């Protein structure tokens, strides 16, 4: 037997219906806020991620699916969506539009991580990016949109964590101090953090290794190092959240795993998820477009993990997997079967969800199946019904049975 590759998974019915429902809810809500969809390729030149995400991130240093094309170009299956969106923005000069650009994407991402619950090697993200505004009001608006989206899915017990990681002007001072403190405690850090403490000390704050936690807790807070501009930006962002009644907790060690973030960073977590509890992550990335040789462009965005979101949706049980048929057709005999296939065609063309079985069944067994499928009505089509053109329509909830013509049937089902 050939199995799916480790860390990948099939999305099967009835769960696939939940995926569709979640995706269409995202499209509907994002549309309300003026976001348009962008679809970028699943693979890109490796240098896009090496430069855009950062050489010293876990993603680039350990987790990318990189391969050489036949012409020796190094390609990588996209591990995230922001760098490709910004690449496309620059390539197609989308910055020529004077307006703030709001884009969203949806699709598979690839990271060679250790698979566990809520963590896969091929997983799916929905993400959104706002390009061309440094206004903290846009950040609050995006969080407001996410609150509406999660609310629509019936998710109530999520937590918003926020922080500011400053900018290229004020962060170096913090990094210097961080390096000093980390150097003094180097022996106590995990192997990765020992390296990070020199190459990319901010990453240490993100470490999940148990033994590093007490050390991280004792480190200085980046919020004490923000310059006036970053401080004012962060304060405004928090005041906009308060105005909207959006609850949050400031977590000074929240830095996120990607290098391109500046100023505001945030995560939305759910305790339902256990160890991998981050549902959504995002922040501001004002330097990314320039890093990718584009014009200076402010950016703010997020990505949410669909597998994790679906886990939460299923736990809270607010989305039905798929809608049951409105009508189950129960033909008795070959001629009645032929008639019911055409009847089903006509009903489906009018938007009525029908089901019937392809194997001959007794009336009793057909009704049993209608019950199992949770059909609202069953339509009995026997010899007599074929001749009279009138069918027996049975309401499954209470067994009430009425005689209807084909026209009356459509009306009834619509009603
Ligand atoms: P990131 O792009 O790392 O900021 O991740 C954004 C979101 O994508 C996370 O909050 C998760 O919900 C999801 N995610 C990231 N990596 C994985 C993975 N390996 N498997 C499943 N979901 C993931």
């Amino acid at each position: 037997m050939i199995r799916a590759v480790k860390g990948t998974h099939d999305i099967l019915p009835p769960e696939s219906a939940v995926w569709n429902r979640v995706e269409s809810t995202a499209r509907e809500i994002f549309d309300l806020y003026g976001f348009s969809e962008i679809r970028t390729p699943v693979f890109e030149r490796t240098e896009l991620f090496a430069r855009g995400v950062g050489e010293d991130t876990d993603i680039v240093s350990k987790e990318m699916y990189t391969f050489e094309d036949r012409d020796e170009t190094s390609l990588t299956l996209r591990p995230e969506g922001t760098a490709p969106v910004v690449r496309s923005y620059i390539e197609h000069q989308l910055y020529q539009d004077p307006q703030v650009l709001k884009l969203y994407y949806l699709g598979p991402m690839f990271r060679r991580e250790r698979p566990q619950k809520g963590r896969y090697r091929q997983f799916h993200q929905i993400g959104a990016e706002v390009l061309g505004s440094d206004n903290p009001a846009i950040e609050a608006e995006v969080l407001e949109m996410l609150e509406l989206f999660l609310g629509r899915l019936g998710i109530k017990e999520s937590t918003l964590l926020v922080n500011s990681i400053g900018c290229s002007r004020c962060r170096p001072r913090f990094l210097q101090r961080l390096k000093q403190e980390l150097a003094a405690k180097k022996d106590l850090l995990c192997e990765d953090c020992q390296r990070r403490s020199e190459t990319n000390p901010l990453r240490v704050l993100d470490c999940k290794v148990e033994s590093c936690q007490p050390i991280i807790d004792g480190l200085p807070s980046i919020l004490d190092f923000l310059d006036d501009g970053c401080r004012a930006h962060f304060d405004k962002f928090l005041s906009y959240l308060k105005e909207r009644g959006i609850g949050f907790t400031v977590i000074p060690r929240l830095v996120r795993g990607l290098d391109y973030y500046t100023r505001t960073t945030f995560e939305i977590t759910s305790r339902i998820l256990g160890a991998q509890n981050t549902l959504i992550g995002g922040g501001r990335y004002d330097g990314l477009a320039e890093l990718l040789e584009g014009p200076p462009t402010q950016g703010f965005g997020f990505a949410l993990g669909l597998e994790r979101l679906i886990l939460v949706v299923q736990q809270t049980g607010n989305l039905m997997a798929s809608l049951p048929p409105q009508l189950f057709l129960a033909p008795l005999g070959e001629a009645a079967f032929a008639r019911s296939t055409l009847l089903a065609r006509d009903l489906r063309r009018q938007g009525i969800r029908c089901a019937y079985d392809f194997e001959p069944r007794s009336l009793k067994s057909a009704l049993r199946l209608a019950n199992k499928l949770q059909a609202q009505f069953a339509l009995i089509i026997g010899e007599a019904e074929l001749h009279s053109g009138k069918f027996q329509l049975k309401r499954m909830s209470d067994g009430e049975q009425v005689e209807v013509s084909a026209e009356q049937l459509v009306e009834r089902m619509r009603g």
Side-chain angles (χ1 to χ4, degrees):
M1 183 177 41
I2 302 174
R3 292 177 182 278
V5 176
K6 185 177 171 188
T8 71
H9 61 107
D10 300 311
I11 300 161
L12 305 172
E15 193 189 294
S16 50
V18 181
W19 281 71
N20 283 332
R21 207 70 58 77
V22 167
E23 289 170 3
S24 60
T25 306
R27 291 181 192 282
E28 190 191 319
I29 304 287
F30 295 1
D31 179 59
L32 281 178
Y33 280 82
F35 284 79
S36 311
E37 184 174 2
I38 178 168
R39 301 191 192 196
T40 64
V42 162
F43 54 85
E44 298 269 0
R45 287 176 182 273
T46 302
E47 61 186 292
L48 173 66
F49 302 111
R51 243 198 286 167
V53 178
E55 296 273 9
D56 193 52
T57 57
D58 282 354
I59 293 181
V60 173
S61 64
K62 305 190 235 183
E63 297 169 359
M64 295 210 299
Y65 282 98
T66 297
F67 58 97
E68 208 167 79
D69 202 354
R70 284 165 196 257
D71 66 0
E72 295 179 4
T73 315
S74 179
L75 302 177
T76 292
L77 298 183
R78 63 177 181 198
E80 61 94 51
T82 304
V85 167
V86 175
R87 193 251 328 124
S88 178
Y89 171 82
I90 297 167
E91 185 172 340
H92 302 288
Q93 302 181 4
L94 302 182
Y95 45 82
Q96 300 220 333
D97 192 330
Q99 288 198 359
V100 169
L101 191 63
K102 293 174 165 182
L103 299 169
Y104 76 88
Y105 59 85
L106 191 159
M109 304 292 160
F110 306 85
R111 294 182 197 173
R112 203 175 191 291
E113 295 192 83
R114 197 166 47 77
Q116 61 183 88
K117 187 183 165 204
R119 194 159 78 191
Y120 304 92
R121 290 180 171 177
Q122 173 172 335
F123 60 100
H124 298 77
Q125 286 186 336
I126 301 182
E129 317 290 353
V130 183
L131 294 158
S133 169
D134 65 354
N135 196 325
I138 197 74
E139 303 168 3
E141 191 188 86
V142 166
L143 288 161
E144 173 195 302
M145 176 173 89
L146 283 171
E147 189 186 49
L148 181 64
F149 172 60
L150 295 178
R152 249 334 133 76
L153 299 178
I155 298 172
K156 293 190 186 77
E157 69 321 302
S158 59
T159 307
L160 170 62
L161 311 174
V162 298
N163 191 28
S164 172
I165 57 165
C167 65
S168 56
R169 286 179 304 277
C170 58
R171 203 181 312 139
R173 217 161 50 83
F174 174 66
L175 294 182
Q176 202 185 358
R177 181 71 187 283
L178 208 53
K179 268 190 181 170
Q180 282 168 1
E181 301 246 347
L182 289 171
K185 293 169 187 152
K186 198 166 174 185
D187 297 344
L188 302 170
L189 294 168
C190 74
E191 214 174 292
D192 276 340
C193 283
Q194 295 201 359
R195 180 176 44 80
R196 290 174 187 138
S197 66
E198 280 166 20
T199 55
N200 196 343
L202 211 56
R203 282 278 78 73
V204 174
L205 300 181
D206 208 24
C207 179
K208 301 284 184 293
V209 174
E210 197 61 42
S211 57
C212 289
Q213 302 313 305
I215 301 158
I216 296 171
D217 289 341
L219 292 171
S221 161
I222 190 158
L223 296 175
D224 296 330
F225 289 78
L226 298 183
D227 63 18
D228 290 347
C230 289
R231 183 77 242 176
H233 184 101
F234 192 50
D235 287 344
K236 267 202 171 142
F237 167 60
L238 298 184
S239 75
Y240 291 143
L241 289 181
K242 283 185 198 143
E243 258 173 37
R244 288 168 166 74
I246 300 174
F248 61 85
T249 308
V250 177
I251 306 279
R253 58 175 279 191
L254 182 77
V255 292
R256 317 260 321 112
L258 304 104
D259 267 1
Y260 49 59
Y261 285 107
T262 53
R263 291 191 166 173
T264 312
T265 59
F266 76 90
E267 281 185 5
I268 297 182
T269 60
S270 167
R271 59 188 164 73
I272 289 176
L273 290 170
Q276 300 296 319
N277 69 351
T278 310
L279 191 58
I280 306 179
R284 176 163 285 286
Y285 48 87
D286 292 347
L288 181 58
E290 262 176 293
L291 200 65
L292 299 175
E293 292 163 42
T297 309
Q298 298 101 352
F300 181 79
F302 68 83
L304 70 85
L306 267 169
E307 279 77 3
R308 294 186 195 175
L309 185 65
I310 304 276
L311 271 174
V312 177
V313 166
Q314 283 176 329
Q315 290 265 329
T316 37
N318 286 303
L319 273 197
M320 256 212 295
S322 60
L323 294 171
Q326 290 160 281
L327 185 69
F328 186 84
L329 296 109
L332 306 172
E334 233 170 88
F337 176 76
R339 176 79 179 94
S340 60
T341 58
L342 297 182
L343 194 57
R345 178 197 61 184
D346 295 342
L347 290 164
R348 284 170 173 156
R349 283 181 177 172
Q350 308 205 49
I352 293 159
R353 280 190 315 283
C354 298
Y356 58 87
D357 194 16
F358 287 89
E359 300 307 320
R361 279 179 185 266
S362 68
L363 179 59
K364 197 168 155 203
S365 129
L367 290 178
R368 208 180 302 136
L369 182 56
N371 238 332
K372 196 174 149 206
L373 295 175
Q374 297 180 319
Q376 282 169 285
F377 291 91
L379 191 72
I380 301 157
I381 311 165
E383 280 285 312
E385 284 82 1
L386 273 185
H387 293 300
S388 66
K390 298 263 185 185
F391 309 101
Q392 296 296 320
L393 181 68
K394 188 182 176 77
R395 187 158 60 202
M396 298 304 290
S397 58
D398 58 4
E400 187 205 61
Q401 199 161 310
V402 291
E403 196 172 66
V404 292
S405 66
E407 292 75 39
Q408 288 167 329
L409 176 63
V410 174
E411 271 168 40
R412 280 233 157 202
M413 299 310 303
R414 283 243 172 95

